[in-house]
Amino acid sequence: MGGEGYIPLFESTRARGTVAYRVFASTMFLGICMIWAYRLSHVPSEPEHGPIWVWSCLLAAELWFGLYWVLTQACRWSLVYHRTFKDRLSHRYEKDLPGVDIFVCTADPTIEPPMMVINTVLSMMAYDYPPEKISVYLSDDAGSNIMYYALLEASQFAKHWIPFCRRFTVEPRSPTAYFRLPSSDQLSANCKNEELSAIKKLYEDMKNRIETAQKLGRISEDIRSKHKEFSQWDSYISRHDHDTFLEILIDRTTRKAMDAEGNALPTLVYMAREKRPQYFHNCKAGAMNALIRVSSAISNGRIILNVDCDMYSNNSESIRDALCFFMDEEERGDEIAYVQFPQNFENVTKNEQYSSSLRVIFEVEFHGSDGQGGMFYDGSGCFHRRDALCGKISRKVKARWSENSGIDQNGGIYKPEELKKLASCSHEENTEWGREMGLKYGCPVEDVITGLSIQYRGWRTVYFNPRRNAFLGVVPTTLLQSLVQHKRWSEGEFQILLSRYSPAWHGLGKISPGLIMCYLACCLRAPNCLPTLYYTIIPSLCLLKGISLFPEVTSPWFIPFGFVIFCKYAYSLAEYLWSGGTVLGWWNDQRMWLYKRTSCYLFAAIETVAKLLGCSKPAFVITSKVAEEGVTRRYEKEMMEFGATSPMFTILTTLALLNLVCFLGAALNGFASGGARFFKSMSLQAILCAVLILINLPIYHGILRKDEGKMPISTTVASTVIAVTACTIFVSF
């Protein structure tokens, strides 16, 4: 249908100011080169400048920082923005819209509460889209009968909630999120109080029943007698050892799949794949692949949306936004494999003490990646073309799919026992699942490596960031949760670099050089720990000993250092503010940048090397979606939460105390030796050490605090001993 006179379903524009930014980046690179030149031309030969290894390692660290900065420029070199035209889509294709299968994954009802999960499910069922073309699948990797009961209750509530959303154009369509908004009060004031009260009562009654069952830890005999499917759990041994539990709660092929107004309801399916101790279950990737197979036999939607269980729909038109890309003939929509939406969060505080919103990544870097010809698959909020996700490009792969899966490609024709076999442990044996089909196995970030392999096969990918957030989730509310999450991400990304899918060599000729640079910037996060640790330790120790590592203020060589430092952080601040942040939020972002590089990235790098040597087994850590009342209260006050002991806290506290000792010791030495000469030659080192002290103020505060979120005494004592010992040893030699 493309050609002359064709009206596109979306348009793409380049960001303004691209030329100005490229000039700025070029001057920055010139300054970085001058710093390298200084290091190479001023190699110390006198004892007062310290051992040669100190200077050489500082040069290596600055070379790394400079080259890594060059890689990050690919994400800023050519930003692309998209705009969709949903009215044109409706006019042209309303009667031919494809089926959409929506996957919601959960793994632990304790840290991912059933009420949160079903709110996500209900928001997905209520999309502004023909309900008979929507199928929602919940994968419960814990195999919890409480979670199934919650979904069973949700299937009944949906019969009233979906018509309510349709009648009053509700946004967002998560009941909990909607009821706490002022707009629901406005609806109540507009003579709709009866209907609102009725739907609220239905919701509260459902919530009470679910939470009662969760507190009891079991399903009442009365409910079990009414719903025979609970007998499936009679064979349940543990969350790691059970049969496949699969139930179609709303079946679009039956007359019962109608809402309270007689309209069709979306298909709703519960699945807990089989788990056995002798089979590794491949975490979320294994659950997703089981969902792909099961859904192919039930609904076989051409488009698949996957979301995390806490990531509810905040925009009922997101499906139509995504289809504007897939169904556009003029812009080669048939070549687009997936459309990734940003992950936004509802519990982010004003100044984001843990920098959890990743706002610069979503508002800048992903647009830059898109401008380089592709977008990362980010694990949630992503619309996939089923064919691309399953590796169906060549005829060979298509044949293999048909041969290995045993799936009826028409959808809707299924037998319960056949469906359960598709989610069994042994089904993937001697098949291409996890390698050529579905999500990739063997990597903590199965999403990124899967997206990369799809791009290697020639598919196009798109990043779309609409004005109204498409999805809203929750972020970690403690420092440890945040660091553990980033450890898993950076570990997986580093593993990709060292795998057969590495963009460094496997991507050559398959994706653009700019996109390779974007992926490398991502994959090299973990190795950043070494130069960062060196830069936060050695200059401060040298300051304490009186060893100068930087040019004096009066030297011409001071200019490139001052220029690069000022421009780098001035631009970083401007970029953060432009992305919607605050000045204090930017400062917190810098703190988390340092904390991640000196703690969780270090452990991620060690863990990756250990796995390569066969000394460690893969594991998947789920981020908790709930917090204790005290933790929540301190989080809302933007107090940094410590509380627990962790090797990462020991490293952070040691570095904070080491820099404090070095600065105080250097200040005493400087004043004792006259002051002016000392600080003239040590100005940059003193500033660096002072900034590190300022950025670590929450740790000093945590040491002195008395509440439950304070730094553990054992961590403080151990860190003090290590910091003082390191300073003493360094000064002595």
Side-chain angles (χ1 to χ4, degrees):
M1 289 180 63
E4 189 175 345
Y6 179 82
I7 302 176
L9 300 180
F10 73 94
E11 66 177 10
S12 304
T13 57
R14 297 280 174 179
R16 296 178 180 179
T18 299
V19 174
Y21 178 77
R22 291 177 179 179
V23 172
F24 163 78
S26 299
T27 58
M28 273 280 291
F29 183 67
L30 181 61
I32 291 170
C33 291
M34 293 295 290
I35 292 174
W36 292 341
Y38 169 77
R39 288 288 173 215
L40 290 169
S41 61
H42 289 72
V43 178
S45 57
E46 301 177 5
E48 61 265 25
H49 290 291
I52 189 66
W53 67 265
V54 171
W55 195 271
S56 301
C57 291
L58 204 61
L59 169 61
E62 288 166 348
L63 280 169
W64 175 273
F65 289 144
L67 293 174
Y68 187 79
W69 177 86
V70 170
L71 291 177
T72 63
Q73 296 316 291
C75 299
R76 293 168 172 81
W77 204 248
S78 182
L79 275 63
V80 167
Y81 298 89
H82 302 292
R83 179 188 174 195
T84 60
F85 303 103
K86 295 183 287 292
D87 54 335
R88 298 175 186 175
L89 175 78
S90 298
H91 178 74
R92 197 175 303 165
Y93 295 114
E94 190 64 32
K95 294 182 179 180
D96 299 312
L97 294 173
V100 178
D101 291 347
I102 303 174
F103 298 167
V104 181
C105 295
T106 183
D108 190 333
T110 305
I111 60 179
E112 295 172 337
M115 280 307 301
M116 180 188 70
V117 175
I118 67 165
N119 268 275
T120 298
V121 169
L122 287 165
S123 72
M124 300 295 158
M125 295 177 71
Y127 267 121
D128 181 15
Y129 198 74
E132 66 275 9
K133 296 187 177 182
I134 296 177
S135 299
V136 181
Y137 295 80
L138 175 65
S139 168
D140 176 17
D141 252 10
S144 166
N145 60 355
I146 305 293
M147 188 66 74
Y148 174 75
Y149 172 63
L151 195 65
L152 180 65
E153 288 281 359
S155 69
Q156 297 303 311
F157 178 72
K159 295 178 180 180
H160 305 276
W161 175 246
I162 293 175
F164 179 82
C165 292
R166 186 168 53 240
R167 194 159 56 249
F168 298 112
T169 321
V170 166
E171 291 286 2
R173 298 193 173 183
S174 159
T176 295
Y178 176 70
F179 291 145
R180 66 170 171 249
L181 289 180
S183 58
S184 65
D185 297 329
Q186 184 180 0
L187 178 63
S188 177
N190 290 339
C191 305
K192 307 297 181 185
N193 190 47
E194 251 182 58
E195 291 186 72
L196 180 62
S197 297
I199 199 73
K200 273 188 174 180
K201 185 177 186 308
L202 285 172
Y203 178 74
E204 290 300 326
D205 290 345
M206 175 186 69
K207 180 180 177 182
N208 290 335
R209 290 192 295 270
I210 293 171
E211 291 183 344
T212 298
Q214 189 177 11
K215 287 177 184 177
L216 293 173
R218 59 181 175 81
I219 306 300
S220 69
E221 289 302 322
D222 182 50
I223 296 172
R224 289 178 63 91
S225 64
K226 292 178 182 177
H227 301 279
K228 301 301 182 183
E229 62 268 25
F230 280 106
S231 62
Q232 294 180 89
W233 274 267
D234 292 343
S235 63
Y236 186 87
I237 300 173
S238 74
R239 60 183 301 175
H240 303 294
D241 191 2
H242 60 77
D243 296 332
T244 298
F245 306 137
L246 197 148
E247 197 68 31
I248 304 175
L249 290 92
I250 301 178
D251 188 344
R252 68 183 182 189
T253 63
T254 67
R255 293 182 180 180
K256 293 182 180 180
M258 296 289 177
D259 64 26
E261 296 181 352
N263 298 309
L265 281 171
T267 296
L268 181 62
V269 180
Y270 172 89
M271 183 198 78
R273 58 191 170 122
E274 183 187 17
K275 294 276 193 72
R276 298 301 177 199
Q278 63 269 31
Y279 289 93
F280 182 64
H281 56 79
N282 291 300
C283 308
K284 183 180 175 181
M288 282 283 292
N289 286 343
L291 283 173
I292 292 171
R293 295 191 296 272
V294 169
S295 66
S296 294
I298 297 174
S299 52
N300 199 34
R302 293 181 61 188
I303 304 299
I304 292 174
L305 163 65
N306 83 281
V307 293
D308 290 339
C309 63
D310 65 311
M311 195 70 62
Y312 68 81
S313 168
N314 188 58
N315 184 348
S316 62
E317 296 190 328
S318 297
I319 294 179
R320 295 177 183 272
D321 278 323
L323 291 180
C324 285
F325 296 96
F326 289 119
M327 301 183 74
D328 191 297
E329 298 93 343
E330 186 72 10
E331 299 295 332
R332 298 179 298 156
D334 58 339
E335 297 178 11
I336 294 175
Y338 59 80
V339 179
Q340 176 69 62
F341 285 72
Q343 296 182 31
N344 301 105
F345 308 96
E346 63 176 353
N347 66 329
V348 173
T349 57
K350 180 182 177 181
N351 298 307
E352 304 179 50
Q353 66 266 43
Y354 304 128
S355 191
S356 298
S357 72
L358 309 175
R359 63 174 66 249
V360 172
I361 292 177
F362 291 129
E363 297 296 331
V364 179
E365 294 183 2
F366 280 178
H367 286 286
S369 173
D370 198 11
Q372 297 293 351
M375 170 57 199
F376 301 81
Y377 167 30
D378 206 30
S380 182
C382 189
F383 289 85
H384 300 265
R385 187 185 299 274
R386 183 182 288 269
D387 288 352
L389 189 59
C390 296
K392 291 182 174 182
I393 290 183
S394 66
R395 289 185 178 274
K396 181 179 179 182
V397 178
K398 282 188 177 182
R400 190 183 305 133
W401 161 265
S402 178
E403 177 184 342
N404 287 345
S405 65
I407 288 171
D408 188 323
Q409 297 290 330
N410 295 320
I413 303 172
Y414 45 80
K415 296 179 181 178
E417 292 308 313
E418 292 300 317
L419 289 178
K420 290 184 178 183
K421 288 180 182 178
L422 298 176
S424 67
C425 293
S426 59
H427 183 83
E428 295 182 354
E429 290 183 339
N430 302 315
T431 71
E432 294 296 325
W433 284 103
R435 291 184 290 274
E436 297 301 322
M437 294 196 300
L439 275 72
K440 305 298 178 190
Y441 293 157
C443 182
V445 285
E446 71 291 322
D447 41 17
V448 177
I449 196 169
T450 298
L452 185 59
S453 66
I454 287 172
Q455 290 165 345
Y456 285 165
R457 296 198 298 267
W459 287 96
R460 295 170 60 208
T461 55
V462 172
Y463 177 63
F464 183 58
N465 189 359
R467 289 186 178 181
R468 180 180 176 86
N469 295 333
F471 305 96
L472 286 177
V474 294
V475 296
T477 54
T478 71
L479 177 60
L480 185 58
Q481 286 176 1
S482 183
L483 293 176
V484 168
Q485 186 179 64
H486 283 278
K487 173 187 173 292
R488 177 171 64 83
W489 291 345
S490 57
E491 179 185 337
E493 290 156 357
F494 193 25
Q495 287 181 23
I496 292 174
L497 180 69
L498 304 176
S499 73
R500 66 188 184 97
Y501 294 100
S502 174
W505 47 82
H506 197 68
L508 296 173
K510 296 181 179 178
I511 57 177
S512 71
L515 188 55
I516 290 176
M517 291 175 66
C518 291
Y519 271 108
L520 288 177
C522 177
C523 293
L524 288 169
R525 283 175 182 156
N528 269 313
C529 64
L530 298 178
T532 305
L533 279 167
Y534 188 86
Y535 232 85
T536 54
I537 296 173
I538 300 302
S540 297
L541 290 173
C542 288
L543 175 68
L544 178 63
K545 196 171 183 179
I547 300 173
S548 177
L549 299 177
F550 298 92
E552 296 183 359
V553 178
T554 55
S555 168
W557 286 105
F558 182 86
I559 296 174
F561 280 91
F563 175 78
V564 169
I565 293 170
F566 174 78
C567 288
K568 197 271 182 190
Y569 289 102
Y571 173 77
S572 172
L573 174 59
E575 186 178 63
Y576 193 87
L577 295 176
W578 181 85
S579 300
T582 64
V583 174
L584 184 54
W586 171 80
W587 179 249
N588 290 335
D589 186 61
Q590 301 307 302
R591 177 184 298 114
M592 286 305 298
W593 176 93
L594 178 68
Y595 285 4
K596 287 183 289 188
R597 287 188 173 206
T598 54
S599 61
C600 60
Y601 287 1
L602 173 64
F603 285 99
I606 294 172
E607 190 78 16
T608 300
V609 173
K611 285 178 181 175
L612 286 175
L613 298 175
C615 302
S616 177
K617 294 182 179 180
F620 188 90
V621 180
I622 306 168
T623 305
S624 178
K625 310 299 190 302
V626 292
E628 296 177 2
E629 185 178 344
V631 172
T632 302
R633 187 170 59 252
R634 289 188 291 272
Y635 173 75
E636 291 172 349
K637 291 180 180 179
E638 299 192 335
M639 296 174 64
M640 190 158 281
E641 185 76 20
F642 300 103
T645 56
S646 168
M648 289 190 277
F649 286 171
T650 303
I651 292 175
L652 294 178
T653 309
T654 299
L655 293 176
L657 294 174
L658 183 144
N659 279 279
L660 182 62
V661 170
C662 289
F663 187 82
L664 294 176
L668 291 174
N669 292 338
F671 288 123
S673 60
R677 174 66 183 170
F678 179 85
F679 289 109
K680 181 181 177 182
S681 61
M682 296 286 193
S683 56
L684 271 179
Q685 272 167 272
I687 291 172
L688 173 62
C689 193
V691 169
L692 289 171
I693 291 172
L694 289 174
I695 214 164
N696 282 309
L697 284 177
I699 289 182
Y700 306 134
H701 183 220
I703 292 173
L704 301 174
R705 275 161 52 187
K706 302 298 183 182
D707 56 54
E708 293 181 357
K710 67 180 179 180
M711 185 69 73
I713 295 176
S714 58
T715 300
T716 302
V717 171
S719 298
T720 302
V721 171
I722 296 170
V724 172
T725 302
C727 292
T728 304
I729 293 174
F730 192 86
V731 171
S732 301
F733 288 94

